[in-house]
Amino acid sequence: QLRKRILDADGESYDPKELYQAYARFGGMPMLADVGLETDKVTAALDGVYSAVVVRDILEREKRKGQRTITDSLLLRKLMMFLADNIGNSVSATSIGNTLVSEGLLESGSRKTKPATQTIQAYIQALTESFIFYEIKRFDIKGKEYLKTLGKYYIVDIGLRNYLLGYRDGDSGHILENIVYFELLRRGYDVAIGKLDNKEVDFIATKTDEKKYIQVTESMNAPETRERELSPLRKIPDNYEKIVIAMDTGMEQDQDGIRLINAIDFLLGKQQVGQNVTIIGGGLTGCEIAYELYLQGKNPTIVEMLDDLICTPGICLANTSFLRDFFKANKVSVHLETGVKEIKDGVVIAADKNGNVIEIPTDSVILSTGYRSAPLAGKSRHVHIVGDAQSVGNLRTVIWGAWDVCMKI
């Protein structure tokens, strides 16, 4: 199976999962493009962000406002560390103060007693006003109202979290949740936590005419995890889209009408195909796409201008025979000697060789019409053309062609 790669401006290719892991470790502050991804350099850069935003911006801004509420830089840092360590957890000002004292987090400073609840609230407000942390409210799905207690906080940059807490392993689920939250904000959604009786939905993402219920988890492989993530979504009594985003979704793409989406695909903005999919082109690639979509529970339709599927010579007979027989046995719709005339919203208009118009209900269209060889340079003594640049083929013809060239050099 071919793995997806991402190319940068210089043509370097990267594994998307490796890029995600780097982002989850170092964050996405703009200066990282200049300093690189060495831990010491990243830490120094993030220390500058902390000094500029937290020390100068928050403390100095409070002085300019004529307010002396935020005066304890140690308490501010300890509070940031607490919130950073509890992203995705429900917290209150009272519980934060109790934890800071009970765990001895204030013992290195002059403050020995529990800070007042109003003081904690003021410090948190300063952090949210500076956009270091974002507060997310809970929404009662049944009561259809926002709740005033036990919200959550997410930090604006995961790299800043790791700067405060140290670059440690673990808590990857909450880190993913934090990243997904900000991606939803970036896409223009209003985001809340969903409460349904004693269960919780990680995010309710809404726009003017759109709503999504979203669960976020590291893996969906364990049965108990699947039940925990799917159970709240099954109980929601409306028909808005329900999604689980996970680094490892398992084999299934859909569960009781709930979509399971790979987290990296979600972050890259990869579009999911709808239920009714029209594939234009019945070559080997188009047929394999139709086969895979059918196994995912979709309804594929193949439109091919020639009088048979997979007409390219040299394709393994076992493969072509299997795919033709599979489509026939499973009643997959195939239109031969048919061309597409128009693609409209919700329908593909095609016409067969006799001019009969066919309307194909369609949610998604996939073009698999092939391509022509177009080498960047002509063949010469020092230039050897192999693979699809010479003639469109398959993996076998590519390997054989490259072998022949290598033996002649």
Side-chain angles (χ1 to χ4, degrees):
Q1 181 180 0
L2 295 177
R3 300 179 66 185
K4 291 176 288 188
R5 307 288 292 181
I6 294 177
L7 297 178
D8 66 12
D10 298 321
E12 293 289 332
S13 68
Y14 302 91
D15 184 331
K17 190 168 185 179
E18 291 176 354
L19 293 181
Y20 171 81
Q21 290 169 345
Y23 180 73
R25 179 175 176 81
F26 297 119
M29 288 290 181
M31 85 286 288
L32 299 189
D34 297 321
V35 304
L37 298 181
E38 295 180 18
T39 301
D40 291 344
K41 293 181 179 179
V42 172
T43 301
L46 292 173
D47 183 67
V49 172
Y50 175 83
S51 299
V53 176
V54 177
V55 177
R56 186 167 66 236
D57 182 47
I58 294 180
L59 298 180
E60 294 298 324
R61 181 169 53 83
E62 292 293 320
K63 291 180 182 179
R64 290 195 299 272
K65 290 167 57 179
Q67 300 177 4
R68 300 292 296 170
T69 310
I70 313 300
T71 57
D72 190 337
S73 60
L74 176 62
L75 176 60
L76 187 63
R77 184 181 180 93
K78 294 295 185 181
L79 184 57
M80 286 185 64
M81 293 175 67
F82 177 88
L83 292 177
D85 200 24
N86 285 275
I87 53 174
N89 291 330
S90 297
V91 297
S92 67
T94 301
S95 67
I96 291 172
N98 291 336
T99 303
L100 290 175
V101 173
S102 64
E103 296 188 4
L105 298 177
L106 299 176
E107 291 180 357
S108 59
S110 58
R111 187 187 296 270
K112 301 300 182 183
T113 60
K114 172 186 171 183
T117 299
Q118 293 86 346
T119 301
I120 297 292
Q121 290 172 337
Y123 277 59
I124 291 176
Q125 182 178 345
L127 289 170
T128 56
E129 288 179 351
S130 298
F131 302 105
I132 299 297
F133 286 91
Y134 284 61
E135 183 181 12
I136 177 171
K137 300 289 188 181
R138 291 197 304 159
F139 183 81
D140 189 328
I141 295 174
K142 282 188 175 180
K144 300 187 183 302
E145 63 179 357
Y146 284 95
L147 304 175
K148 296 181 179 179
T149 58
L150 294 179
K152 295 182 180 181
Y153 293 88
Y154 293 100
I155 192 167
V156 70
D157 184 78
I158 286 296
L160 189 59
R161 176 186 189 266
N162 292 332
Y163 159 78
L164 290 166
L165 302 178
Y167 298 92
R168 62 193 190 189
D169 295 327
D171 208 18
S172 54
H174 279 147
I175 288 175
L176 176 60
E177 190 177 316
N178 196 107
I179 291 171
V180 169
Y181 169 71
F182 280 99
E183 178 62 18
L184 290 170
L185 291 186
R186 189 189 69 80
R187 296 183 187 182
Y189 289 97
D190 292 323
V191 186
I193 306 163
K195 176 185 176 297
L196 187 65
D197 297 327
N198 62 339
K199 295 184 180 296
E200 182 178 282
V201 177
D202 289 333
F203 301 125
I204 306 173
T206 58
K207 289 184 179 180
T208 304
D209 56 351
E210 183 181 355
K211 180 185 288 187
K212 300 175 187 287
Y213 298 101
I214 300 171
Q215 295 282 66
V216 181
T217 186
E218 177 71 10
S219 172
M220 285 287 283
N221 284 328
E224 60 272 18
T225 302
R226 297 179 73 87
E227 180 60 26
R228 183 189 71 220
E229 301 298 333
L230 294 173
S231 176
L233 298 178
R234 292 191 188 108
K235 293 186 176 182
I236 297 174
D238 62 41
N239 295 319
Y240 289 108
E241 186 174 20
K242 301 170 181 68
I243 300 170
V244 177
I245 298 172
M247 292 299 293
D248 188 350
T249 59
M251 295 298 293
E252 297 180 61
Q253 302 294 314
D254 197 292
Q255 181 87 28
D256 300 330
I258 300 167
R259 290 172 57 201
L260 310 183
I261 302 178
N262 176 267
I264 292 176
D265 289 341
F266 169 79
L267 295 171
L268 291 175
K270 180 180 177 182
Q271 296 296 313
Q272 301 291 315
V273 297
Q275 185 63 29
N276 299 308
V277 186
T278 298
I279 299 140
I280 303 175
L284 179 61
T285 301
C287 289
E288 289 179 338
I289 292 171
Y291 172 74
E292 178 65 25
L293 289 173
Y294 181 88
L295 295 182
Q296 294 178 15
K298 308 294 184 181
N299 302 321
T301 297
I302 301 173
V303 178
E304 170 58 53
M305 294 187 69
L306 299 178
D307 60 1
D308 196 5
L309 297 174
I310 319 176
C311 289
T312 303
I315 304 296
C316 176
L317 181 61
N319 288 353
T320 59
S321 297
F322 168 79
L323 287 168
R324 290 190 187 95
D325 292 344
F326 180 89
F327 295 150
K328 184 176 181 180
N330 292 283
K331 297 181 172 57
V332 173
S333 183
V334 176
H335 298 279
L336 299 175
E337 297 183 282
T338 300
V340 172
K341 299 299 182 183
E342 190 175 4
I343 299 175
K344 295 183 176 181
D345 188 18
V347 65
V348 169
I349 310 298
D352 64 18
K353 64 178 181 179
N354 298 317
N356 298 315
V357 175
I358 305 168
E359 294 190 0
I360 306 170
T362 302
D363 300 314
S364 304
V365 176
I366 297 176
L367 297 178
S368 183
T369 53
Y371 49 91
R372 295 186 176 91
S373 300
L376 298 177
K379 185 176 181 180
S380 67
R381 178 180 176 185
H382 299 292
V383 176
H384 304 273
I385 302 174
V386 299
D388 290 342
Q390 180 181 45
S391 177
V392 177
N394 54 36
L395 188 59
R396 182 187 64 182
T397 60
V398 168
I399 294 173
W400 284 3
W403 170 264
D404 290 339
V405 168
C406 290
M407 294 303 293
K408 295 175 182 177
I409 296 177

